[in-house]
Amino acid sequence: MVLFEAPHRLAATLTDAAEILGPDRPAAACREMTKTYEEVRRGTLAELAAWAADGVRGEITVVVGGAPRRAVEADPTELAAAVAAREQAGTDRKAAIAEVAQEVGLPKRVVYAAVVAAR
């Protein structure tokens, strides 16, 4: 995520971002890009909010890192049961596998493998 922020609002924006996105989210604050006094600060949102609290001057661009992937573990029998329940409700197998995969955040091939293993 890229934000262009005014220097007088930077500390509040970084504080809000740390609160909403998590204080440990990696980010960078770039000041006066392409100019003589260019400065890039890297750290977590909480660290950058503390840095900006003292006041910052110049044009600011904030780059926030993406959310970390969360490890999802699902029991193969539960996945197969969820697909079977959708099939009994009238959904074809391919669509049921796609729905379950999206719901639990796993690739379709993992859900398909669970359905095949449950046979």
Side-chain angles (χ1 to χ4, degrees), residues 14 16-26 44-46 64:
L14 289 171
D16 290 345
E19 183 179 315
I20 294 167
L21 301 173
D24 294 334
R25 180 78 68 99
T44 64
L45 285 172
V64 180

Side-chain angles (χ1 to χ4, degrees), residues 78-91 96 99-100:
E78 291 177 7
L79 294 174
V83 170
R86 283 180 169 75
E87 284 181 301
Q88 288 176 352
T91 307
E99 288 174 10
V100 171

Side-chain angles (χ1 to χ4, degrees), residues 72 74 76 79-80 97 101 104 106-117:
V72 177
L79 294 174
I97 289 171
V104 297
L106 290 172
K108 289 186 280 189
R109 62 182 163 72
V110 172
V111 178
Y112 176 76
V115 171
V116 170

Side-chain angles (χ1 to χ4, degrees), residues 5 23 28 33 37 39 43 49 52 58 66-67 72 94 107 117:
E5 189 58 275
M33 290 178 62
Y37 301 104
E39 177 185 8
V72 177
K94 185 176 180 178

